[in-house]
Amino acid sequence: MSESTAPIHPVFEKCYCTWPEGKGDDCMYCLKCNECCEPCCGQPCNGKDGVYCAVSWIIFCLAGPKFLAASQQQECHFVNHGVPYLLLLLALVPCVGGILAAIVGLWIATSIRANLRKVHGIGIQQWDICDCCATLLPCMYCQELRSMPKESWDWIAAIQENKYPVGGSIEPCYKGCVEFE
């Protein structure tokens, strides 16, 4: 991968669209179809792993909590990571439910992006409004997925190994964005 030679507008710099190679790369890299799908669609990218990834994410209420937990560098627990995704079912309630579900969805996506930036040492080490805005662009989701290993979202393999969801004590975590040591 090569660095883009086009100048980046200052607004986009604050959104941290370009991450280092191997940590998500440039968010627009998703437009280079065959090259952008690693490690999600296998290394090297292939159809079998691509279908596996797509099927895993179609049921986002299972892949999402695992990915949220990985962004927080925690094991996936039902209360901490599963309940926020269940709250997305509020969208089924007419009017108000859809608004509440949208807010919960933005909170989840913003938390994941801010946490991954912290994990990879990208930009400021706190939540930023640009993390929220960036969640509205599909290329940012691809960037986040590229920045983490397959195990961070692979709920199918984790279930087969009896590692998902993790049992044990309930430690409620009300923060989406966590502080790392």
Side-chain angles (χ1 to χ4, degrees):
M1 282 173 265
S2 61
E3 290 270 339
S4 174
T5 56
I8 298 174
H9 192 278
V11 170
F12 293 116
E13 282 183 17
K14 189 162 171 62
C15 288
Y16 306 107
C17 294
T18 302
W19 292 6
E21 187 171 330
K23 294 185 178 178
D25 307 302
D26 190 301
C27 73
M28 296 307 288
Y29 198 61
C30 64
L31 299 177
K32 298 179 181 180
C33 292
N34 291 336
E35 301 170 22
C36 75
C37 301
E38 295 178 0
C40 303
C41 296
Q43 287 182 304
C45 184
N46 62 74
K48 178 183 171 195
D49 289 329
V51 169
Y52 183 87
C53 178
V55 168
S56 295
W57 279 97
I58 285 172
I59 308 173
F60 72 93
C61 61
L62 292 174
K66 187 150 176 36
F67 197 62
L68 174 61
S71 81
Q72 296 174 335
Q73 297 183 335
Q74 299 175 357
E75 292 292 325
C76 186
H77 290 277
F78 178 75
V79 172
N80 296 5
H81 309 105
V83 170
Y85 279 86
L86 288 178
L87 290 175
L88 294 177
L89 293 175
L90 289 171
L92 299 176
V93 178
C95 298
V96 175
I99 294 168
L100 292 175
I103 291 169
V104 169
L106 277 174
W107 174 81
I108 292 169
T110 300
S111 298
I112 289 172
R113 185 157 186 86
N115 290 333
L116 290 178
R117 283 193 313 95
K118 291 176 195 176
V119 165
H120 299 306
I122 297 165
I124 60 173
Q125 295 300 296
Q126 62 186 27
W127 178 90
D128 188 89
I129 190 67
C130 285
D131 291 322
C132 183
C133 297
T135 64
L136 302 173
L137 302 172
C139 59
M140 299 295 190
Y141 290 115
C142 294
Q143 181 182 47
E144 293 162 11
L145 284 173
R146 286 193 309 268
S147 78
M148 297 292 283
K150 179 181 176 182
E151 294 77 29
S152 67
W153 55 263
D154 189 1
W155 60 272
I156 297 170
I159 285 176
Q160 291 171 345
E161 297 169 6
N162 293 322
K163 294 182 178 178
Y164 181 76
V166 174
S169 63
I170 297 174
E171 299 175 19
C173 176
Y174 63 91
K175 291 184 175 181
C177 301
V178 296
E179 300 298 323
F180 298 113
E181 297 172 9

